[in-house]
Amino acid sequence: MPVFAYKALNSKGSVTSGELDAADRPEALRILDRKGLQPVNLRETAGIVAAAGKGAKTKSDEAAAASTKPDEAPIPEGPIKLKRQEVVLFTEELSDMLGAGLQLEPALKSMENRQELGNLKAVSYKIRQIVRDGVNFSVALKKVSPSFGPLYCSLAAAGEASGALDTILKRQAHYLKTLAELQSRLVLAMIYPAFLVLAGIGVSIVFVTTLIPQLTQLIESTPGGKIPLGAAILIGASEFLSKWWLVILLLLIAAFIFFKAWKDNEENKPAWDRIKLRLPLIGPVITSRFYVQFLETMANLVGNGLPLLRALELSRDATQNRSLRAGLDKVIEQVGDGRSFSKALIRTGAFPPLLIDMISVGEQTGKIDQSLRRSAERYDKELDKDLQRIMALIMPTVLIIMAGLIGTMAYLMITAIFQTISNLG
């Protein structure tokens, strides 16, 4: 078995050195980890055959021992799912430690030594084991938990490539917290409209099942009674819904299943991404969010010395919307052909003039990273305004729809009643 010479830091912070037997380098690192040593230098010195009576553990025994840690709950097998708050907490803590000058593996080790048990502890442990074997952090994220999504992993890869992983993670934590806050605000804003919708549905059911049939009988029993056109339409709709409501419900469910299958088909995803960008209210929010993410990522990558073309490729990989990604493909192609960044953006036709002007100023002054960051801040404010506008429109929109629906039914019924009374006179 090979022999590895090591130099490591113990729990007291002092340097210790020695030799150990291990099948390979990753196994030697795991042995040092179980001893509570943080390796500074590890190299293979010689290969020897372990004596039979030496009492050394087999590789399978050591792997089994590495899968659990003393006095702790066993690490779950397979991918680990995290809640949104756990992802935010993991991102914030890791970005803070990286920003303080800690390397990735010691930072993960520190998170692994958290006092409370839970998924974050297990995720940190598994990611650190994979990273120690020479795998990139972004790849380790994909392997360990599906909760880190494609966008998160792509941004982590961009951070690794530029050496700005702490900054990228900090901005991602801010984005996740903003998204969680938005969802919370949306839920709170929808409570009152939801009650209104339920009340409107209840009133409509009473109209259809009780009041309209009684009104019909009253008009038909009146000599010379004639049902007004509006009331006749309402009565016809009521009878149609009473007879065919189950069929309508099944058709709606079938349409939803068909739409979801069409949307999830890989061939149709580009078309669906284009449709999302054209949706009222939602489309501008998606576009503004793309501008903010694209500009922030580019500012971090270029500011850390990454070439413009490579920064564009990483930013494209972090873009989930296929329609927007196609626009970035055109930009990359033209920048690769020697055109300036701003002119490549103009030729695609997918970017607003104000954004292009700010980038052009950065190219002329040689401070493109600062221009990109200022542009990101500007569009971040625009995004916040769009979200506030949508939140403000939810309540009056629901009120107008419900008032129009119930008011129309009430007006038609009252008109029919007055006409019946007039006929009696």
Side-chain angles (χ1 to χ4, degrees), residues 349-424:
F351 295 86
L354 178 60
L355 184 151
I356 297 173
D357 290 340
M358 295 182 74
I359 292 176
S360 178
V361 171
E363 287 179 323
Q364 295 172 13
T365 59
K367 298 179 180 179
I368 189 170
D369 58 325
Q370 297 181 12
S371 295
L372 289 167
R373 189 161 284 110
R374 285 195 296 269
S375 301
E377 292 173 356
R378 182 183 184 91
Y379 278 96
D380 196 17
K381 293 178 181 177
E382 293 294 328
L383 175 61
D384 188 58
K385 290 180 182 178
D386 290 339
L387 294 176
Q388 291 180 359
R389 192 178 299 115
I390 292 174
M391 300 296 293
L393 285 174
I394 289 176
M395 182 74 71
T397 301
V398 173
L399 285 173
I400 291 172
I401 292 175
M402 298 309 300
L405 177 62
I406 297 176
T408 300
M409 289 192 293
Y411 172 77
L412 293 175
M413 289 191 64
I414 292 172
T415 302
I417 292 172
F418 274 111
Q419 184 169 343
T420 303
I421 294 173
S422 176
N423 291 336
L424 286 175

Side-chain angles (χ1 to χ4, degrees), residues 5-18:
Y6 67 86
K7 182 183 293 184
L9 296 174
N10 58 24
S11 59
K12 297 180 180 179
S14 58
V15 178
T16 181
S17 59

Side-chain angles (χ1 to χ4, degrees), residues 209-263:
T209 59
T210 304
L211 298 180
I212 292 178
Q214 290 179 359
L215 177 63
T216 305
Q217 293 177 2
L218 175 64
I219 295 175
E220 291 177 347
S221 62
T222 303
K226 184 179 179 182
I227 300 176
L229 177 60
I233 294 174
L234 191 62
I235 292 168
S238 172
E239 293 176 350
F240 178 79
L241 291 174
S242 299
K243 291 180 181 179
W244 300 99
W245 68 270
L246 182 59
V247 175
I248 295 173
L249 180 62
L250 293 175
L251 287 175
L252 290 175
I253 294 174
F256 174 77
I257 294 174
F258 175 78
F259 169 74
K260 191 174 185 308
W262 177 86
K263 177 177 69 70

Side-chain angles (χ1 to χ4, degrees), residues 66 104 121 123 141 143 147 163 184 251 262 339 344 350 362 364 371 380 409 413:
L104 179 60
K121 194 178 184 73
V123 164
L141 291 173
K143 291 183 177 180
S147 304
S184 177
L251 287 175
W262 177 86
R339 291 190 176 89
Q364 295 172 13
S371 295
D380 196 17
M409 289 192 293
M413 289 191 64

Side-chain angles (χ1 to χ4, degrees), residues 181-293:
E181 181 183 356
L182 173 63
Q183 290 180 342
S184 177
R185 288 165 53 191
L186 182 61
V187 170
L188 291 175
M190 288 300 295
I191 290 177
Y192 182 60
F195 277 112
L196 288 179
V197 171
L198 290 176
I201 292 174
V203 171
S204 301
I205 292 174
V206 172
F207 267 95
V208 171
T209 59
T210 304
L211 298 180
I212 292 178
Q214 290 179 359
L215 177 63
T216 305
Q217 293 177 2
L218 175 64
I219 295 175
E220 291 177 347
S221 62
T222 303
K226 184 179 179 182
I227 300 176
L229 177 60
I233 294 174
L234 191 62
I235 292 168
S238 172
E239 293 176 350
F240 178 79
L241 291 174
S242 299
K243 291 180 181 179
W244 300 99
W245 68 270
L246 182 59
V247 175
I248 295 173
L249 180 62
L250 293 175
L251 287 175
L252 290 175
I253 294 174
F256 174 77
I257 294 174
F258 175 78
F259 169 74
K260 191 174 185 308
W262 177 86
K263 177 177 69 70
D264 293 339
N265 191 334
E266 285 295 329
E267 296 180 356
N268 300 322
K269 284 184 177 180
W272 171 237
D273 286 341
R274 287 193 297 271
I275 292 172
K276 285 192 292 186
L277 296 177
R278 298 190 182 100
L279 292 176
L281 296 179
I282 298 176
V285 171
I286 294 175
T287 306
S288 297
R289 180 58 220 168
F290 161 71
Y291 293 150
V292 174
Q293 175 195 314

